[in-house]
Structures are given as structure tokens and as C-alpha cells.
Amino acid sequence: MKTMRLGMSETVTSVLGLGCMRMGGKPEAEAARVIETALDCGIRLFDHADIYDDGRSERVFARALQQTGTPRAEIQIQSKCGICPGYFDFSRDHILGAVEGSLRRLETEYLDILLLHRPDALVEPEEVAAAFDNLFQSGKVRHFGVSNQHPRQIDLLRRYVRQPLIIHQLQFSLGHTLMIDQGLNVNMGIDGAVDRDGGILEYCRLHDMTIQPWSPLQFGFFE
């Protein structure tokens, strides 16, 4: 499988990653077969979030990975935090607590990548910066990024955080092409010309943020 560098970091990974959102409902043996199949295909990046099946997806993955006998250093584990039942929380204490929970469930000493999961519109960026400094200096997180955020929200974070934001996880598929549509329909009076995301595609290219498409084979948020 082809590989790619994430942002401007030195980290190289497979161009395809495996989303583990639904792994929490699988028996460990079945999850192990999924992981082994992914590894056989050359996939090395595994995507999680603390909210996926209330943490069960991370626990099942960890036990299944042990069954495969795969050394931790041969894969990259990414997780996300910030979504709480009914609200979003990018406070320092929540981020630190969420990462500790993910590390415990994943049975690993570090995350290769941590993403802020969707925007906290009332974020205090100084608290994010303090959390990132703690996690980076302690070796618990190696790289950072965001998901589903507007360019201005990212700029606000970038003013305060010292670590590069190397990834932006966005919905993108053949059925959901909004980040490209506007660029194809500039100065036209049709729906496709509506700027819905502040030019996020161009923004990520300008700032060396690797775009990770989520649900690339699934159309829409509810469909």
C-alpha cells in the first residue's frame, strides 16, 4: 500500500486508515480478524474516539490487537476527544482526563495522534494549549489535529498551541463533496457556489494539514 507523510511531520503512514467506531460491538476474535485483514492490506493507522461505543471500541481493539501479536511500534493509533453527552468540552482537565482514559482502554503508553473531536464553540484556547503541552512533554501524545472545524476556529487554536496541527478529519465522499463544490462553482448563482466551510480545502493545503476523510464510503450524516 502507498504511504504518505502526515502534514509537515516526519511521521509516515498508510494512505488508508481503519475507522474503529463500530468495533465495540464485535467479539474480540472477530475484531482480531478485522485488524489482521487491515494489516495484511498494508493499513497501519487505526482511528478511535473516546465516545465510540462509550469507550468499548477502544477496549475491544486493545484486546483484539493482543491476539494478533502485532508490536505496538508497527502501527499508529489515533483517538479523539471533546464530545460529551449533549455538549462539547475542550477544557484542559477534560482533554487530559479523556486521554488518560483512552490510554488505559487502549492499553498503550502513548497515542500517535490526538484530534479535537468537532468544535467546542466556547473553547478557551489557552486551556487547549496547556493540555497539549502537558501531553506532548509527557510523551503521551506525539501529534495533534482537529476534526470538522472552520478555518477561523483553527486559527484561534493555532495562535495559542505550540504543537503543529497536522491533521483535519472532515466528512468527504462521492456523496458529500461540499469542500470541492464551492471551488468548482465560484461566482455562480447556484447552491454549489455557497461557501459552507470557509474554504477549508484550500486552508488545509496552505497550512500543511493532512485531510482525513471520514465515512468515505457512506453518504451523508443521517442517510
Side-chain angles (χ1 to χ4, degrees):
M1 179 177 290
K2 293 181 180 179
T3 59
M4 63 181 296
R5 188 172 65 173
L6 296 177
M8 290 297 290
S9 73
E10 298 302 317
T11 297
V12 175
T13 191
S14 53
V15 295
L16 295 181
L18 181 69
C20 299
M21 182 173 72
R22 296 178 176 86
M23 193 167 284
K26 303 293 184 183
E28 291 176 19
E30 183 178 346
R33 288 195 296 272
V34 171
I35 294 171
E36 287 178 333
T37 301
L39 292 170
D40 288 344
C41 292
I43 291 174
R44 291 296 178 269
L45 177 63
F46 296 86
D47 174 69
H48 293 269
D50 59 353
I51 198 173
Y52 289 167
D53 208 353
D54 198 25
R56 284 187 287 273
S57 293
E58 291 179 327
R59 282 193 289 269
V60 170
F61 176 85
R63 296 166 186 163
L65 183 66
Q66 290 176 0
Q67 291 186 25
T68 70
T70 305
R72 172 67 178 90
E74 292 186 4
I75 66 169
Q76 290 144 341
I77 298 178
Q78 168 179 291
S79 196
K80 302 183 287 293
C81 70
I83 298 180
C84 302
Y87 65 101
F88 303 95
D89 190 347
F90 286 179
S91 67
R92 174 187 178 277
D93 290 346
H94 179 80
I95 294 172
L96 294 179
V99 171
E100 290 294 343
S102 288
L103 294 177
R104 183 172 59 254
R105 290 187 295 271
L106 289 164
E107 300 182 33
T108 183
E109 295 181 352
Y110 66 94
L111 296 175
D112 293 278
I113 308 159
L114 174 70
L115 305 184
L116 297 178
H117 204 176
R118 293 194 170 275
D120 176 359
L122 301 178
V123 62
E124 297 291 348
E126 299 93 338
E127 295 210 13
V128 175
F132 281 12
D133 282 345
N134 182 301
L135 294 168
F136 183 75
Q137 292 167 9
S138 64
K140 294 178 180 178
V141 176
R142 296 184 173 180
H143 300 291
F144 299 87
V146 299
S147 76
N148 306 290
Q149 296 205 20
H150 189 279
R152 300 289 77 76
Q153 293 170 319
I154 301 172
D155 280 340
L156 179 62
L157 291 173
R158 291 176 66 242
R159 179 179 177 183
Y160 292 89
V161 300
R162 289 187 282 188
Q163 297 76 24
L165 300 175
I166 67 170
I167 288 175
H168 196 176
Q169 193 176 91
L170 293 159
Q171 185 177 5
F172 181 61
S173 67
L174 288 176
H176 190 92
T177 58
L178 299 181
M179 74 173 77
I180 291 178
D181 296 347
Q182 192 271 335
L184 292 172
N185 296 284
V186 173
N187 199 34
M188 297 178 68
I190 59 176
D191 186 62
V194 176
D195 183 355
R196 302 177 188 276
D197 57 25
I200 195 62
L201 175 63
E202 292 80 9
Y203 181 91
C204 288
R205 297 181 71 182
L206 285 168
H207 293 279
D208 298 308
M209 298 181 74
T210 296
I211 292 178
Q212 283 186 348
W214 61 264
S215 288
L217 301 178
Q218 178 178 317
F219 166 63
F221 191 77
F222 295 106
E223 291 87 346

